[in-house]
Amino acid sequence: MKFLVTGGAGFIGQHVVRELMVRGHEVRVLDSLRPDVHRDLDWRPPSGADFIHADVRDAKALEPALEGVDAVIHLAAKVGLGVDISDTPDYVSSNDFATAELLAAMARTKVGRLTLASSMVAYGEGVGRCEKHGETRPGPRLESAMANGQFDPPCPTCGMPLADLLVTEDVPVDPRNVYATTKVAQEFLAGNWARSTGGAVASMRYHNVYGPGMPRDTPYAGVAAIFLSALRRNEAPRVFEDGRQRRDFIHVRDIAAATVLAAEGHVFGVRAFNVGSGTPRTVGEMAFALARALDGPTPVVTGAFRLGDVRHITADSSRLRAEFHWEPRTTFEDGMRELATGSTGSDPVIKEG
């Protein structure tokens, strides 16, 4: 098959391109190389892949990019929570307007298969179980409670603590920050396109991705990159809240493998897929694992917080496993060691472009 990969010069994109080529596909990359995402503005694709230097929002560039393409993997996006509400127009333009332009061009050129990079942040605080009221959706966390160190969202009915549950794709979306809202909007736009054109959409709801090539020293970087940057400056990583917020950390090579399997195998209708390891870990665990691997300063748990962060969100990825026979292959321990030391065993490091 021939794939167009938008954002193929980015962190996840480079691994997806590599996985596609290993599996014998033809690849065309479209990437803007925008400087707030890419350190190396002279990035070039691997041998055998085409490259179009353009923004997905540029309608004139899209039809040539889609010529002869069988399917699209849409990874290009502005990521992260955002620094200020003034970031909102750029998020909406980069993520939603760009997706609208891509879908319109796919309709014009009759390209009917899309694999979309979505996110676990679509679920907000996910779901929890109250001893009295059963399964429920946590309410928004209050600034006053968080300032007093009360970080866990309570049952919205009785205020009692909630037990955390794995989130399935059937849980209704509940975006609680600008980035999350744009990812949900992308999914809805893609669904509208599929229903009107007969196209197929696989929305990949990535959980916390880490691994070789992960961006560093940027407000849009993942928490692992921020911890690593501090450790490499011989500074103690600063962990927000009490460090007990749970996440599902998933290695980028496992993300790439899942994405390519879905792109190859999903041929009809609209379907969402969680992509996570299935093993919850705390943010504090990650910070201490990286500090041990680098023999660095002990992390500091600060109690600081950001409104818009979710407390606990972990995935049930059984749908992906069942439908595409995918399994994550990199353990948390091996992934943290690799991330800290740059050692990948037999796998070469793919540097951020």
Side-chain angles (χ1 to χ4, degrees), residues 223 226-227 230 235-241 283 287 298-304:
V223 66
I226 295 170
F227 292 160
E235 297 174 2
R238 297 179 63 80
V239 181
F240 279 16
E241 302 185 17
V283 172
T298 300
V300 175
V301 178
T302 66

Side-chain angles (χ1 to χ4, degrees), residues 102-123:
L102 175 64
L103 294 170
M106 290 176 68
R108 293 193 299 271
T109 56
K110 311 299 184 186
V111 177
R113 291 170 61 176
L114 175 69
T115 304
L116 173 68
S118 189
S119 174
M120 59 94 180
V121 296
Y123 297 117

Side-chain angles (χ1 to χ4, degrees), residues 33-353:
L33 299 180
R34 55 188 288 176
D36 61 339
V37 177
H38 299 275
R39 294 193 303 271
D40 181 5
L41 302 185
D42 294 324
W43 177 87
R44 293 292 180 269
S47 177
D50 297 333
F51 176 49
I52 296 176
H53 185 182
D55 194 300
V56 183
R57 293 170 289 189
D58 182 359
K60 293 181 180 178
L62 288 173
E63 288 193 24
L66 289 163
E67 184 177 354
V69 164
D70 299 302
V72 174
I73 299 176
H74 183 32
L75 305 174
K78 183 179 178 72
V79 302
L81 279 179
V83 178
D84 189 85
I85 195 66
S86 63
D87 292 335
T88 302
D90 193 23
Y91 274 93
V92 172
S93 176
S94 301
N95 297 352
D96 299 337
F97 178 69
T99 299
E101 289 284 12
L102 175 64
L103 294 170
M106 290 176 68
R108 293 193 299 271
T109 56
K110 311 299 184 186
V111 177
R113 291 170 61 176
L114 175 69
T115 304
L116 173 68
S118 189
S119 174
M120 59 94 180
V121 296
Y123 297 117
E125 292 286 352
V127 293
R129 182 174 297 282
C130 173
E131 288 187 4
K132 183 175 182 180
H133 297 101
E135 187 172 312
T136 186
R137 300 299 299 270
R141 296 196 289 169
L142 300 178
E143 184 173 6
S144 57
M146 296 173 72
N148 288 323
Q150 299 170 10
F151 299 115
D152 284 305
C155 172
T157 303
C158 67
M160 295 297 292
L162 295 174
D164 190 38
L165 299 176
L166 293 182
V167 177
T168 71
E169 295 88 349
D170 297 326
V171 169
V173 295
D174 184 21
R176 298 195 179 186
N177 58 60
V178 170
Y179 172 65
T181 301
T182 65
K183 299 311 287 184
V184 170
Q186 283 183 301
E187 289 198 30
F188 282 132
L189 289 168
N192 293 336
W193 164 83
R195 283 183 284 275
S196 64
T197 64
V201 178
S203 292
M204 312 301 288
R205 292 176 178 167
Y206 299 149
H207 282 246
N208 293 78
V209 188
Y210 71 94
M214 186 170 56
R216 301 171 189 157
D217 301 314
T218 160
Y220 311 114
V223 66
I226 295 170
F227 292 160
L228 275 176
S229 293
L231 287 164
R232 287 170 176 151
R233 296 191 303 268
N234 201 35
E235 297 174 2
R238 297 179 63 80
V239 181
F240 279 16
E241 302 185 17
D242 58 4
R244 297 174 184 170
Q245 53 271 51
R246 288 185 293 275
R247 296 291 185 268
D248 189 327
F249 298 106
I250 176 76
H251 197 280
V252 68
R253 286 193 298 271
D254 291 325
I255 286 280
T259 300
V260 172
L261 285 171
E264 292 172 333
H266 183 72
V267 298
F268 178 77
V270 179
R271 196 87 161 133
F273 298 95
N274 288 335
V275 193
S277 72
T279 304
R281 302 279 181 173
T282 69
V283 172
E285 282 182 277
M286 168 176 269
F288 279 88
L290 291 173
R292 285 193 300 270
L294 287 172
D295 195 23
T298 300
V300 175
V301 178
T302 66
F305 59 89
R306 295 185 301 181
L307 292 175
D309 278 350
V310 298
R311 176 63 172 172
H312 306 301
I313 182 71
T314 49
D316 179 341
S317 299
S318 56
R319 174 183 293 179
L320 180 67
R321 295 170 189 248
E323 295 191 16
F324 298 116
H325 308 292
W326 168 86
E327 291 288 340
R329 301 181 65 180
T330 302
T331 66
F332 179 79
E333 292 76 15
D334 288 345
M336 291 298 105
R337 190 178 307 113
E338 172 192 355
L339 189 63
T341 64
S343 172
T344 63
S346 59
D347 235 358
V349 171
I350 301 176
K351 294 183 179 179
E352 167 72 5

